Structure formats: structure tokens, C-alpha cells
């Protein structure tokens, strides 16, 4: 419970000119049991990440109100002494359900929350609930004493392709109290670096951690393109074509490509890199080998 709030840690690392390394894992839903989540957390913890974030289920499957995300975030801190970030989506949520979730987080000692809008539940086409945007959730997190993280989108949110509007949304999140940002995945470092530069010119002053997801299968990368709106640069398309009938080689090539991204981002002096591990220890280990052990 004594783990440092992530925003403060990121600012300390920035002052020391040390890029941070963090990992993301999924909650125990479906085939991932609580016991398996503990195994994944232990495999990530030995790599000494600066923090581990725990998602809610994707595709509108939940906003963290079932307690799974909070429970894992607390476990990471309590059992492995690694700072954690619990994701909290607000789409469809009421102020009471959010208040209940935040009270549970406080009771468990979770100090940092990633404020997200989230996906509409499957089959639902209209927004319902007390919150419209993640920006609406951030003030409540700050009032309750949490460190607040928020998402940033190098290629624009899938529902907002205008980059100028995306930057305005980013500024609104910072004004609402966001302590740091983590970017959505992108497969081209130029997209990430140009976005960070544009954010700085737009007076975004809080740390920006750059997200990278290795592609390990054709179905996974296809899903990410449709879910997140990520574009595929030519080198990725060529790898997909080369290893179309060789899944093992494609997975290895995808991890190596992501490691190249991480190496390039660190060399450019970004505040930190965040690896979407998909609960795979081999992905996390490869990332740690690239980002120098402190």
C-alpha cells in the first residue's frame, strides 16, 4: 500500500532524464483466472517495471465496477511491491457506481487511476450514464485524492480523426487535473514523436508515456486496426505478408519490431514507454532487454 503515486514517480524520472518502463495486463476475465493473474503479475514484477497498469475488459465488457481490476491492482502493490494503475471507464456509469468503485480502490490502497471513456457495450449504439467523456471523470478522481492518468491518441481517437481536436481534448484533460498521459498504440514511431512534439507545443506539460504493442498474430493486429484505428506502415505489412503462413515466425518478428520501436523511442528521449504485454512474459522480457535495467 506504500507504493508511490505514479504521477510523482514519472516526474522524478523525467527530472533524472530516465525513461520509465511500464507494462499493461488484462484482468481475470474469461480464461484468465485470479490465480493466473497472480502468475502474470509475478512474471512482470521480476523485471522491475516502474508500474503495471490493469485494464478493464475491452469492447464495452465492463468499467471496473466488478472489482476485478481493483483487486489485481492492489495485489500487484501488496504482494510484489510494484506501483500499479487501475483503469476506470466511465461510459454508462453513474456517479454512485463510480463513487463505490473509488471507495473500494481507496480501501485497497490503490493510489493511481487511469481515467477512460471506454467502449459502448456490445449492441448499444447510444451513450447512457452520468459521464460523456473521460475528462468528466478526472475532477472526481482528483477530489478523492487519486493520481489521475489519461489516454492520448497519436493518430487521433477512432471517433475523432482531426488531430487539432484531439489536442484540444488532451488540453482539456490536463486542465481537469490529469497528472500524466499514456498513448494508444501506434506502429510508426514518427506518428508518436510528431504527436508528442505537437502536444508540447500545445502546452501539454505533464509526462507523456508512449505505448507500444507487439503484434503476435494476424488476427490480433487486424483487431487492433479496427478497434483502435491504428494504421499499418509498410514494414509491418511486409512482415504480415512474409510470415502469413508461419505464425511462430510472425510472432517473433512482431516482438522484434516492437523492440525496435522501444529502442527508437528511448533514444529520442521520451518520458517513458508503456508495453501492452497481452499477459505475455516473453513480450515483457524482450522489452526489458531493450530498456536498460536501472
Amino acid at each position: 500500500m506504500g507504493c508511490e503515486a505514479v504521477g510523482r514517480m514519472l516526474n522524478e524520472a523525467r527530472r533524472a532524464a530516465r525513461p520509465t518502463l511500464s507494462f499493461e495486463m488484462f484482468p481475470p476475465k474469461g480464461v484468465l483466472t485470479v490465480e493466473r493473474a497472480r502468475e502474470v503479475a509475478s512474471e512482470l514484477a521480476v523485471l522491475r517495471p516502474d508500474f503495471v497498469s490493469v485494464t478493464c475488459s475491452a469492447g464495452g465488457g465492463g468499467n471496473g465496477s466488478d472489482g476485478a481490476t481493483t483487486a489485481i491492482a492492489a495485489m500487484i502493490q501488496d504482494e510484489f511491491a510494484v506501483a500499479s494503475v487501475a483503469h476506470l471507464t466511465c461510459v454508462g456509469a453513474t456517479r454512485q457506481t463510480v463513487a463505490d468503485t473509488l471507495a473500494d480502490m481507496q480501501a485497497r490502497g490503490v493510489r493511481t487511476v487511469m481515467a477512460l471513456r471506454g467502449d459502448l457495450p456490445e449492441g448499444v449504439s447510444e451513450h447512457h450514464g452520468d459521464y460523456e467523456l473521460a475528462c468528466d471523470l478526472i475532477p472526481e478522481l482528483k477530489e478523492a485524492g487519486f493520481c489521475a492518468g489519461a489516454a492520448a491518441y497519436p493518430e487521433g481517437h477512432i471517433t475523432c480523426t482531426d488531430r487539432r481536436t484531439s489536442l484540444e481534448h488532451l488540453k482539456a484533460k490536463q486542465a481537469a487535473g490529469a497528472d500524466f498521459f499514456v498513448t494508444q498504440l501506434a506502429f510508426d514511431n514518427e506518428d508518436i514523436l510528431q504527436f508528442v512534439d505537437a502536444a508540447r507545443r500545445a502546452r501539454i506539460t505533464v509526462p507523456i508515456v508512449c505505448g507500444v504493442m507487439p503484434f503476435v498474430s494476424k488476427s490480433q493486429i487486424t483487431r487492433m486496426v479496427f478497434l483502435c484505428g491504428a494504421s499499418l506502415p509498410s514494414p509491418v505489412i511486409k512482415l504480415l505478408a512474409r510470415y502469413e503462413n508461419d505464425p511462430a515466425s510472425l510472432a517473433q518478428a512482431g516482438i522484434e519490431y516492437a523492440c525496435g520501436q522501444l529502442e527508437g523511442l528511448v533514444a529520442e528521449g521520451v518520458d517513458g514507454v508503456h508495453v501492452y504485454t497481452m499477459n505475455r512474459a516473453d513480450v515483457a522480457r524482450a522489452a526489458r532487454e531493450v530498456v536498460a535495467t536501472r
Side-chain angles (χ1 to χ4, degrees):
M1 290 190 180
C3 284
E4 185 178 12
V6 167
R8 180 184 301 174
M9 177 271 295
L10 287 169
N11 278 303
E12 291 174 351
R14 178 198 267 183
R15 286 192 289 271
R18 178 183 68 81
T20 60
L21 172 65
S22 52
F23 300 134
E24 185 160 295
M25 61 179 290
F26 293 93
K29 192 172 181 68
V31 297
L32 184 61
T33 63
V34 174
E35 291 73 21
R36 177 55 185 153
R38 181 173 283 105
E39 292 174 9
V40 172
S42 68
E43 291 170 336
L44 300 182
V46 298
L47 300 171
R48 296 190 293 173
D50 290 281
F51 66 89
V52 172
S53 69
V54 184
T55 72
C56 303
S57 55
N63 58 20
S65 58
D66 62 356
T69 301
T70 302
I72 298 174
M75 175 190 69
I76 291 168
Q77 295 184 163
D78 296 345
E79 298 186 22
F80 302 107
V82 174
S84 66
V85 176
H87 287 211
L88 179 61
T89 60
C90 62
V91 64
T94 66
R95 298 197 182 278
Q96 186 58 56
T97 59
V98 166
D100 291 343
T101 300
L102 295 183
D104 184 37
M105 290 178 176
Q106 288 175 322
R108 292 176 180 267
V110 175
R111 301 181 61 189
T112 306
V113 178
M114 178 68 69
L116 301 164
R117 177 186 180 274
D119 304 315
L120 288 170
E122 187 175 350
V124 176
S125 59
E126 295 183 5
H127 168 78
H128 297 283
D130 293 336
Y131 305 86
E132 183 176 356
L133 300 170
C135 190
D136 302 326
L137 179 60
I138 294 171
E140 293 193 27
L141 296 177
K142 300 302 296 180
E143 184 176 349
F146 288 94
C147 171
Y153 301 90
E155 297 183 84
H157 191 276
I158 194 167
T159 63
C160 177
T161 56
D162 181 77
R163 296 195 178 188
R164 180 176 300 178
T165 303
S166 291
L167 283 174
E168 290 301 318
H169 289 166
L170 205 67
K171 290 167 66 176
K173 291 178 184 179
Q174 179 175 262
D179 296 290
F180 65 95
F181 291 106
V182 178
T183 75
Q184 179 62 273
L185 65 96
F187 295 110
D188 190 332
N189 279 4
E190 280 304 305
D191 288 330
I192 299 173
L193 294 171
Q194 287 176 12
F195 169 79
V196 171
D197 181 63
R200 296 306 184 207
R201 284 188 278 107
R203 299 184 181 178
I204 299 299
T205 59
V206 300
I208 300 174
V209 180
C210 301
V212 172
M213 176 181 280
F215 56 90
V216 295
S217 71
K218 187 175 182 179
S219 61
Q220 175 230 3
I221 198 170
T222 300
R223 181 172 182 269
M224 287 302 101
V225 167
F226 281 97
L227 186 64
C228 305
S231 59
L232 296 182
S234 177
V236 173
I237 294 173
K238 290 178 180 179
L239 288 173
L240 290 171
R242 183 184 306 169
Y243 299 115
E244 182 176 8
N245 299 313
D246 187 349
S249 295
L250 177 60
Q252 183 58 39
I255 294 173
E256 291 175 357
Y257 182 88
C259 285
Q261 280 193 271
L262 295 172
E263 188 173 20
L265 290 169
V266 169
E268 290 290 338
V270 298
D271 293 328
V273 288
H274 186 69
V275 184
Y276 299 98
T277 68
M278 301 160 289
N279 299 335
R280 291 182 52 147
D282 59 335
V283 168
R285 283 194 295 269
R288 171 46 82 192
E289 290 177 3
V290 171
V291 182
T293 304
R294 52 183 182 181

